[in-house]
């Protein structure tokens, strides 16, 4: 076991901590938003964003590749992890593009 293996373990643990924190903040934010807001346009936008994100994750999961890959001489062929990785990569890319387009539209709309 080299020192790179230790660094990889630390990165994986930090990713799990970041994922747990993100999920906790997301659930708290959704609960707080529902609790404090009445039926307004901002609530509809929030529900729309949440629905879009869930649909996007589902679609990118279904379209994810299960073709085995080779990285550093090691073959990765677990279909679940391959789809999950593909889902996060494509979802992140699509969300960045959508957010960028929305920012540009909002900037020139005023």
């Amino acid at each position: 076991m080299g020192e790179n293996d230790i660094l990889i373990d630390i990165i994986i643990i930090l990713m799990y901590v970041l994922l747990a924190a993100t999920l906790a903040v997301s659930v708290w934010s959704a609960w707080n938003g529902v609790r404090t807001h009445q039926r307004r346009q901002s609530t509809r936008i929030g529900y729309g964003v949440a629905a879009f994100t869930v649909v996007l994750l589902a679609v990118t999961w279904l379209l994810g590749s299960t073709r085995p890959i080779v990285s550093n001489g090691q073959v990765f062929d677990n279909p679940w992890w391959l789809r999950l990785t593909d889902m996060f990569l494509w979802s992140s890319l699509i969300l960045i593009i959508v957010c960028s387009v929305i920012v540009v539209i909002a900037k020139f709309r005023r």
Side-chain angles (χ1 to χ4, degrees):
M1 212 171 169
E3 72 179 49
N4 286 338
D5 294 336
I6 294 171
L7 293 177
I8 290 172
D9 290 341
I10 291 171
I11 290 172
I12 290 173
I13 290 169
L14 288 174
M15 290 303 295
Y16 281 129
V17 169
L18 182 62
L19 176 65
T22 303
L23 289 174
V25 168
S26 297
V27 168
W28 176 82
S29 177
W31 177 77
N32 191 34
V34 169
R35 185 178 59 87
T36 59
H37 289 99
Q38 314 248 318
R39 293 279 178 187
R40 289 191 230 150
Q41 184 172 350
S42 62
T43 305
R44 288 194 329 235
I45 291 173
Y47 287 142
V49 169
F52 174 75
T53 304
V54 169
V55 169
L56 178 66
L57 289 173
V59 168
T60 54
W61 166 266
L62 293 173
L63 296 176
S65 174
T66 58
R67 189 178 72 215
I69 60 171
V70 178
S71 178
N72 293 331
Q74 185 176 1
V75 177
F76 295 95
D77 59 355
N78 185 326
W80 191 84
W81 283 111
L82 290 168
R83 278 186 189 260
L84 187 73
T85 303
D86 220 23
M87 175 190 75
F88 282 124
L89 289 173
W90 281 106
S91 295
S92 298
L93 179 65
I94 291 169
L95 287 172
I96 288 170
I97 291 170
V98 167
C99 288
S100 299
V101 168
I102 289 172
V103 166
V104 168
I105 290 172
K107 179 69 176 169
F108 290 112
R109 192 172 184 188
R110 293 182 183 188

